[in-house]
Amino acid sequence: MIDLANLRSAFVAKYGGSPRIFRAPGRINLIGEHTDYNEGFVLPAAIDFATYVAGVARHDRHVRVASLNFEHEIEFDLDQPSAVASATWARYVQGVALILEREGYRLRGADLLIDSDVPVGAGLSSSAALEIATAFALSSLSGQNVDGMTLAKVGQTAEHEFAGVRSGIMDQFVSVQGQAGNALLLDCRSMESIPIPISNAQFIVCNTKVKHDLAESEYNNRRAQCEEAARLLGHSSLRDVSLEEFESRAAELPAIPRKRARHIITENQRVLEAVEALHSNDLEKLGRLIDESHESLQRDFEVSSDELNLMADLARGHQIVLGSRMMGGGFGGCTINLLTSGDHADFMKKMSVDYRRETGIFPDIYECRISNGAGELI
């Protein structure tokens, strides 16, 4: 957990003044992977790991930003946008500021200090938490009332333009709109969402501590392959292809687009079935769907990794685990594990020991609590 007193004192020491503090959470995704940019369904939830931004408005149009997590500081003039920042984390901050301006929200300059406990590269959406926290801070400090959907789109656009990742909107949306105790069934075409109580479902996240270099480039490749599959089937999006149509026409597709389409189409169905399972408190069914999702991501979408497969297999060896799958863009990061209720300390300890024995890597294991979305701390 972030020490807010330390963040405040560090801000005062660096910039002076009494800062306001803004928060935006990371997320888990129960099921629905890579479906968001195919206008499909996802089932994410905001978590208690979050990015915090301490900030004070300035009287000019300069923005100064530093982080307690990373080296480098940036400063830019909103009236004279400079070259893109070299540090990756800083690109998100600069990006949301310039995009807010482009969308007609005139900002004041600001001094910002960032702290976060969302693990980077773990599939918990550290970039979206940073985008939303800084966009919310900058707009609030400027007296601009930006609605949640606009904030989410600003964060997504920053991801596209300043990080080069053609992501869907799931991560930014749930970082803004998350509700404690609920996952959100999000229709990524209509952008309508429905809160889904998670009842007594409990989730543990296991971080492989591995991130392969393929992640960003292959993410964009997968999106292009999905678009090709939709085009070959005569649709604008795989969202519009039913399982029955796909099965009757699968032979028309080349091998790679066929596999990508199969994952997206069946994953959309799994999301809807997962919602039904939660409504009926059928956690065993939810666990089976989570396992099927991992199998599809591994075999058809081909975004898993040896470490993710190992982590999921190790988890399934425990009686209290109902389902386990990779989560996030792929090629490393985390698994999400659905467990029966009770004390999970023994499971977490054994997973750490077993994974370290197999790989030599010390994993991080987190018990996540479902939280609210972005807001200002009072």
Side-chain angles (χ1 to χ4, degrees), residues 119-137:
V120 175
L124 296 178
S125 237
S126 60
S127 60
L130 176 59
E131 292 154 6
I132 298 305
T134 52
F136 187 48

Side-chain angles (χ1 to χ4, degrees), residues 330-346:
F331 304 102
C334 288
T335 61
I336 181 170
N337 305 274
L338 172 64
L339 277 69
T340 58
S341 59
D343 184 359
H344 301 141
D346 187 56

Side-chain angles (χ1 to χ4, degrees), residues 81-115:
S82 56
V84 176
S86 57
T88 301
W89 70 268
R91 295 177 195 170
Y92 297 114
V93 179
Q94 187 179 18
V96 296
L98 299 181
I99 293 163
L100 281 167
E101 283 272 316
R102 191 171 73 198
E103 293 298 312
Y105 297 98
R106 185 168 177 82
L107 302 179
R108 295 176 62 181
D111 292 330
L112 305 178
L113 184 62
I114 299 166
D115 200 3

Side-chain angles (χ1 to χ4, degrees), residues 254-270:
I256 295 301
R258 181 169 65 246
K259 293 169 72 174
R260 306 304 186 246
R262 182 187 294 116
H263 167 71
I264 297 301
I265 294 163
T266 58
E267 187 80 346
N268 276 324
Q269 185 62 36
R270 281 187 287 270

Side-chain angles (χ1 to χ4, degrees), residues 24-88:
R27 64 100 186 96
I28 54 174
N29 186 24
L30 278 60
I31 197 165
E33 216 65 76
H34 290 272
T35 49
D36 58 345
Y37 56 80
N38 286 284
E39 300 185 347
F41 300 101
V42 291
L43 192 61
I47 57 175
D48 53 341
F49 293 86
T51 294
Y52 297 79
V53 178
V56 167
R58 295 169 56 92
H59 296 295
D60 57 20
R61 295 258 291 163
H62 287 265
V63 178
R64 297 190 297 178
V65 190
S67 170
L68 297 181
N69 307 105
F70 302 106
E71 297 180 353
H72 306 295
E73 300 177 13
I74 61 168
E75 181 173 352
F76 55 94
D77 187 340
L78 292 166
D79 291 320
Q80 297 179 347
S82 56
V84 176
S86 57
T88 301

Side-chain angles (χ1 to χ4, degrees), residues 36-356:
D36 58 345
Y37 56 80
N38 286 284
E39 300 185 347
F41 300 101
V42 291
L43 192 61
I47 57 175
D48 53 341
F49 293 86
T51 294
Y52 297 79
V53 178
V56 167
R58 295 169 56 92
H59 296 295
D60 57 20
R61 295 258 291 163
H62 287 265
V63 178
R64 297 190 297 178
V65 190
S67 170
L68 297 181
N69 307 105
F70 302 106
E71 297 180 353
H72 306 295
E73 300 177 13
I74 61 168
E75 181 173 352
F76 55 94
D77 187 340
L78 292 166
D79 291 320
Q80 297 179 347
S82 56
V84 176
S86 57
T88 301
W89 70 268
R91 295 177 195 170
Y92 297 114
V93 179
Q94 187 179 18
V96 296
L98 299 181
I99 293 163
L100 281 167
E101 283 272 316
R102 191 171 73 198
E103 293 298 312
Y105 297 98
R106 185 168 177 82
L107 302 179
R108 295 176 62 181
D111 292 330
L112 305 178
L113 184 62
I114 299 166
D115 200 3
S116 179
D117 60 2
V118 185
V120 175
L124 296 178
S125 237
S126 60
S127 60
L130 176 59
E131 292 154 6
I132 298 305
T134 52
F136 187 48
L138 286 166
S139 57
S140 297
L141 291 169
S142 302
Q144 298 283 4
N145 184 19
V146 183
D147 68 87
M149 193 65 243
T150 298
L151 276 178
K153 289 180 178 179
V154 165
Q156 181 194 27
T157 304
E159 194 93 28
H160 290 186
E161 296 185 12
F162 288 81
V165 179
R166 298 177 62 208
S167 64
I169 202 167
M170 172 182 70
D171 297 348
Q172 293 83 5
F173 183 92
V174 72
S175 187
V176 175
Q177 306 284 16
Q179 296 183 23
N182 293 276
L184 296 179
L185 171 61
L186 173 62
D187 180 336
C188 295
R189 170 171 285 172
S190 69
M191 299 313 302
E192 295 176 350
S193 68
I194 302 171
I196 307 297
I198 62 169
S199 59
N200 61 342
Q202 298 188 33
F203 299 95
I204 301 289
V205 172
C206 297
N207 187 352
T208 65
K209 301 292 287 290
V210 172
K211 190 69 174 175
H212 296 287
D213 292 338
L214 288 170
E216 289 186 4
S217 62
E218 287 300 317
Y219 186 101
N220 293 339
N221 286 342
R222 292 302 182 280
R223 181 164 184 160
Q225 290 160 355
C226 291
E227 291 168 353
E228 179 188 5
R231 178 182 59 80
L232 291 172
L233 290 169
H235 293 279
S236 62
S237 168
L238 290 174
R239 161 69 178 272
D240 297 316
V241 184
S242 68
L243 184 58
E244 293 74 20
E245 179 184 358
F246 171 75
E247 290 176 341
S248 67
R249 300 183 59 191
E252 301 174 22
L253 300 177
I256 295 301
R258 181 169 65 246
K259 293 169 72 174
R260 306 304 186 246
R262 182 187 294 116
H263 167 71
I264 297 301
I265 294 163
T266 58
E267 187 80 346
N268 276 324
Q269 185 62 36
R270 281 187 287 270
V271 173
L272 299 179
E273 291 182 16
V275 170
E276 293 176 359
L278 282 168
H279 279 316
S280 60
N281 200 28
D282 188 348
L283 297 186
E284 290 189 0
K285 179 181 178 180
L286 178 60
R288 289 194 299 272
L289 292 165
I290 287 172
D291 284 341
E292 290 172 10
S293 176
H294 183 86
E295 179 73 10
S296 181
L297 287 159
Q298 179 183 354
R299 305 297 182 189
D300 281 338
F301 222 63
E302 299 179 293
V303 292
S304 192
S305 66
D306 291 342
E307 297 86 0
L308 286 167
N309 296 336
L310 172 64
M311 192 70 90
D313 288 341
L314 289 172
R316 294 189 195 110
H318 292 262
Q319 188 174 4
I320 64 172
V321 174
L322 300 175
S324 178
R325 72 173 189 89
M326 61 148 283
M327 182 177 64
F331 304 102
C334 288
T335 61
I336 181 170
N337 305 274
L338 172 64
L339 277 69
T340 58
S341 59
D343 184 359
H344 301 141
D346 187 56
F347 165 77
M348 297 169 73
K349 179 179 179 180
K350 287 181 177 178
M351 283 293 292
S352 181
V353 170
D354 292 345
Y355 181 78
R356 185 169 71 249

